[in-house]
Amino acid sequence: MRPIRLLIILTVAFRFGLDEFFMGAAKAGWVKTLYRVLFSWRKFDSPRGERLRLALENLGPIFVKFGQLLSTRRDLMPEDIADELARLQDRVPPFDPALAERQIELAFGKKPADLFRVFEREPVASASIAQVHFAVLHDGREVAVKVLRPNMLQVIESDLDLMRIAAGLVERLWADGKRLKPREVVAEFDVYLHDELDLVREAANASQLRRNFAPGTPRGQLLMVPEMHWEYVSNSVMTMERMKGIPISQIERLKAAGVDLQKLSRDGVEIFFSQVFSDGFFHADMHPGNIYVSDDPATLGRYIALDFGIVGTLSEFDKDYLAQNFLAFFNRDYHRVAVLHVESGWVPRDTNIEALEGAVRACCEPHFDRPLREISLGQVLLRLFQTSRRFNVEIQPQLVLLQKTLLNIEGLGRELDPDLDLWKTAKPYLEKWMHKQVGWEGFLGNATREAPHLAKMLPQWPRLITQALERAAHGAPEQAALRALTEAVDRQRRQVRALAAAVTLLAAALLSWALWLWRH
C-alpha cells in the first residue's frame, strides 16, 4: 500500500510542479542544471502557492490538514504560500451513517436507538476527521454527536511515515531545509493529528473553557460553550449540548436578528485577551466555521464556540512576556522590546541590543504612521517573528498558535466592524492585567501563594549548608561543593527576601490600620 501511495504523491507533486520548490533551491548546482535541461518543456501559469494548495487538496484530507497547519507557521513559510494555504478548507463528503452508528455501538456497547430517543442518521456537518449528527437524549435534551471517521488512525500513520521520509530528504537536499525545520514541523503535525483523534481530550478542552466562561458569571455573558455529556463521550464519540445560533460570517442575518455588530466585535477582542491573560488557556481555532452568535432573545449577541480540538496554553512567563511586549509596542519603546527578547532567553545573550532594537523599529514603525483602526496587531507580531529570525530567535510554538488566533480574531472583528480599533480595545485590558501582576494586588497574591513553600524551606537552610560543607570536607570536588553551597544560599536568599517583603507589607498594613483606628 505504501509504495502505491508514494507513487500517487509523486505523481501529484510532478503534475503541479512542486518539484520546482526543491530543485530551485537544491544544494548541488549540477542537480539544478540537469533538472532545467530535462524539464525545460514544462510551463506553469499559476503561482507556486496556488499550485501547492491544489496539490494538497488532491492528496486528500490528511494533506489538507497539513497545509492548514503550515499556514499557521508564518514564521517559517513565505508570505505568498502561507496566504494561499490559509484558503484550504475541509471539503470531504460524509461517510455512511451506518458506519457512524457502528462506531457509536463499539464505543458504548449499545446502538444509537437505545442510547438516544432520537438519532438523526443524516449528518449535519462533515470534515476530514469526523462528522456530526443531531440527537435527543431520553430526558429530552438536544445534543450534537461527533463521530470519528472509521480507520483514521491507519490512514494517518501511513501518510505520516511518508511525510517523515520527505522531511528528512528536504533537510538534506534543500539549501534552506534546516531553517524550515521540516522534521520538527511533521512532529508537530503528528501531535496535532493524534490530539484531534482523541475526542476525550477535545471534550476536556471544552469543559475547561466552559468553566472559565461559566454561565451566570460576567464572563459567561460574553461566550457560550456547550456542556459535555460525559456518559456519552469516548475516544471516538463525543456528545455535547446542541448550540443554536447564526454563523458569525453571515453578517446580514446577524443584523436582521438585531445583534449589535460593534459590541460583538469588541466582545471578541475581550474574549481573546481574557482567555490569554486571565486563563493562559485559549481556543486556538477560531475561524468563522467554529464561531456562532446566539439569536435566542435570552442570550442574543453572545458568542458560541465550537470545535475544541486545538487549544493553546501559556505559562505565567509567556503571559508576562506577551503583556510587556504589547505594552512596549503601544508605547513605541523598541529598546524595551529588544531587551525583553534577550531576557526571555529566546535570543542569545550576546545579541547586539542596539541592532535588534533597530530591526524591531524598522518592523513596527511603519504601522504607526497609519490610523490605529487600520493597524493589525497580529501582523505586527508576525513581522516581529520574521524579523527576529535573523537574530536566531527560537519562536515558541504556543506563541505561533497565539499569533494565528489573533489574526483570526482581528479578521472576524473587522468584518463585523470595519472601524474596530483593536489596540484601543486591548490596551486598557493589558494595563489592568499588568497592574494586577506587578502592583500591590499581584504582590499580595504571590506572597500568599509562596508563603507555605517558604515556611517549609526556611528551616532546611542550615541543613543544606551543613551538607555542602561536609561534602567539601570529605573529598568532594571543591568547585562542586562551592557551587552547591552557592546555589543553596542563593535559593534561600531569594526565599528570605520574598518572606521579608511579605512581612514588611503586612506590618505596613497593620500600622496603617492602627493609625486609622487611632484617628477615628
Side-chain angles (χ1 to χ4, degrees):
M1 180 64 182
R2 186 182 296 179
I4 296 174
R5 180 61 171 160
L6 180 59
L7 181 61
I8 292 172
I9 292 171
L10 292 175
T11 302
V12 171
F14 186 78
R15 175 185 160 198
F16 288 96
L18 301 191
D19 45 305
E20 289 186 352
F21 282 70
F22 307 104
M23 291 302 175
K27 291 181 179 180
W30 67 268
V31 173
K32 296 181 187 179
T33 303
L34 180 61
Y35 173 79
R36 292 193 189 102
V37 171
L38 291 176
F39 299 107
S40 59
W41 52 272
R42 286 198 312 167
K43 301 293 181 183
F44 295 100
D45 297 326
S46 303
R48 60 178 185 172
E50 182 181 345
R51 286 186 279 121
L52 176 59
R53 174 176 61 82
L54 292 172
L56 293 174
E57 287 177 347
N58 272 263
L59 288 171
I62 303 306
F63 282 83
V64 167
K65 284 280 184 187
F66 186 58
Q68 289 172 334
L69 175 69
L70 287 178
S71 74
T72 70
R73 296 305 310 267
R74 290 173 177 262
D75 57 316
L76 299 177
M77 293 290 104
E79 193 167 347
D80 64 314
I81 292 178
D83 287 342
E84 193 66 39
L85 293 181
R87 298 177 55 195
L88 283 166
Q89 299 292 328
D90 288 343
R91 298 185 183 91
V92 182
F95 57 89
D96 188 345
L99 293 176
E101 291 176 326
R102 178 61 179 159
Q103 285 280 79
I104 294 171
E105 186 176 355
L106 287 173
F108 304 113
K110 293 183 180 179
K111 295 181 178 180
D114 299 324
L115 291 169
F116 306 104
R117 181 195 296 176
V118 177
F119 180 80
E120 298 182 10
R121 296 187 83 246
E122 291 304 313
V124 294
S126 176
S128 56
I129 298 295
Q131 66 187 32
V132 178
H133 297 257
F134 286 150
V136 179
L137 298 178
H138 287 293
D139 60 10
R141 287 179 293 175
E142 294 182 300
V143 295
V145 184
K146 185 172 183 177
V147 185
L148 282 184
R149 287 181 175 271
N151 304 316
M152 280 303 297
L153 186 60
Q154 295 93 312
V155 174
I156 284 173
E157 291 297 348
S158 176
D159 278 352
L160 279 172
D161 282 344
L162 295 175
M163 287 181 183
R164 292 186 191 102
I165 294 170
L169 291 173
V170 168
E171 194 165 292
R172 285 194 295 270
L173 302 177
W174 199 13
D176 211 22
K178 287 188 177 179
R179 184 189 67 77
L180 294 178
K181 303 177 181 177
R183 285 187 292 184
E184 291 181 27
V185 171
V186 172
E188 181 183 343
F189 183 53
D190 187 346
V191 173
Y192 163 82
L193 271 183
H194 282 86
D195 284 352
E196 278 213 285
L197 286 177
D198 185 356
L199 294 187
V200 171
R201 184 186 183 94
E202 180 176 342
N205 291 339
S207 184
Q208 176 68 58
L209 194 62
R210 179 179 170 87
R211 189 158 53 250
N212 294 344
F213 289 86
T217 65
R219 293 179 69 190
Q221 303 299 310
L222 297 172
L223 178 68
M224 298 167 64
V225 180
E227 180 183 5
M228 295 295 114
H229 295 283
W230 286 102
E231 63 272 34
Y232 305 112
V233 173
S234 74
N235 294 98
S236 58
V237 180
M238 183 176 78
T239 305
M240 61 190 142
E241 175 187 3
R242 178 177 173 180
M243 308 299 285
K244 299 178 181 179
I246 301 171
I248 197 167
S249 58
Q250 298 184 10
I251 305 296
E252 294 305 318
R253 283 187 63 191
L254 293 174
K255 289 180 180 177
V259 175
D260 183 340
L261 297 187
Q262 290 186 333
K263 180 179 184 300
L264 191 64
S265 66
R266 293 193 301 271
D267 286 351
V269 176
E270 184 174 348
I271 288 168
F272 172 75
F273 280 98
S274 65
Q275 286 183 82
V276 170
F277 292 109
S278 293
D279 309 324
F281 183 89
F282 60 95
H283 189 304
D285 199 18
M286 296 186 72
H287 62 74
N290 290 338
I291 304 296
Y292 281 60
V293 179
S294 175
D295 57 353
D296 187 317
T299 55
L300 182 66
R302 292 187 200 173
Y303 279 86
I304 299 171
L306 300 171
D307 199 336
F308 310 94
I310 307 174
V311 297
T313 56
L314 298 171
S315 66
E316 289 298 320
F317 178 85
D318 291 331
K319 291 191 287 184
D320 182 67
Y321 166 80
L322 280 169
Q324 292 198 53
N325 258 300
F326 282 152
L327 288 173
F329 285 139
F330 290 137
N331 298 320
R332 299 166 86 160
D333 185 354
Y334 304 122
H335 181 76
R336 179 61 181 154
V337 174
V339 169
L340 283 167
H341 272 64
V342 176
E343 289 179 350
S344 71
W346 296 338
V347 175
R349 286 284 173 186
D350 58 356
T351 298
N352 185 310
I353 293 290
E354 287 71 26
L356 181 56
E357 177 186 351
V360 172
R361 180 181 293 106
C363 163
C364 300
E365 194 64 23
H367 292 275
F368 285 102
D369 289 334
R370 298 155 59 191
L372 282 176
R373 67 176 179 273
E374 296 179 10
I375 297 175
S376 166
L377 191 55
Q379 287 292 343
V380 170
L381 200 58
L382 168 61
R383 297 288 185 193
L384 181 66
F385 288 171
Q386 292 173 334
T387 299
S388 301
R389 189 188 302 153
R390 63 189 177 93
F391 290 90
N392 299 316
V393 176
E394 289 292 331
I395 301 300
Q396 306 301 301
Q398 68 272 22
L399 297 187
V400 174
L401 202 57
L402 181 138
Q403 180 265 335
K404 168 244 188 185
T405 306
L406 182 53
L407 281 174
N408 283 341
I409 291 295
E410 283 188 320
L412 289 174
R414 292 214 165 106
E415 190 173 344
L416 297 168
D417 177 14
D419 293 326
L420 172 67
D421 185 342
L422 184 102
W423 293 47
K424 183 178 179 181
T425 307
K427 187 175 180 180
Y429 193 93
L430 289 171
E431 289 177 332
K432 179 181 177 182
W433 184 84
M434 284 297 294
H435 177 73
K436 287 179 67 175
Q437 292 299 109
V438 302
W440 286 114
E441 184 179 347
F443 178 83
L444 284 171
N446 289 332
T448 302
R449 283 192 298 272
E450 291 295 331
H453 180 67
L454 291 170
K456 179 182 177 181
M457 289 298 296
L458 277 173
Q460 300 178 32
W461 194 3
R463 178 174 56 81
L464 291 171
I465 294 175
T466 302
Q467 288 175 347
L469 292 173
E470 285 177 351
R471 283 197 298 270
H474 290 84
E478 183 177 346
Q479 187 175 3
L482 183 59
R483 184 166 55 252
L485 177 60
T486 303
E487 289 174 356
V489 171
D490 285 345
R491 185 165 56 249
Q492 297 300 329
R493 183 186 294 134
R494 288 194 298 271
Q495 293 167 350
V496 169
R497 190 179 299 148
L499 182 61
V503 170
T504 302
L505 181 62
L506 180 61
L510 290 172
L511 180 59
S512 299
W513 181 63
L515 287 172
W516 184 86
L517 287 177
W518 179 71
R519 288 175 180 170
H520 294 78

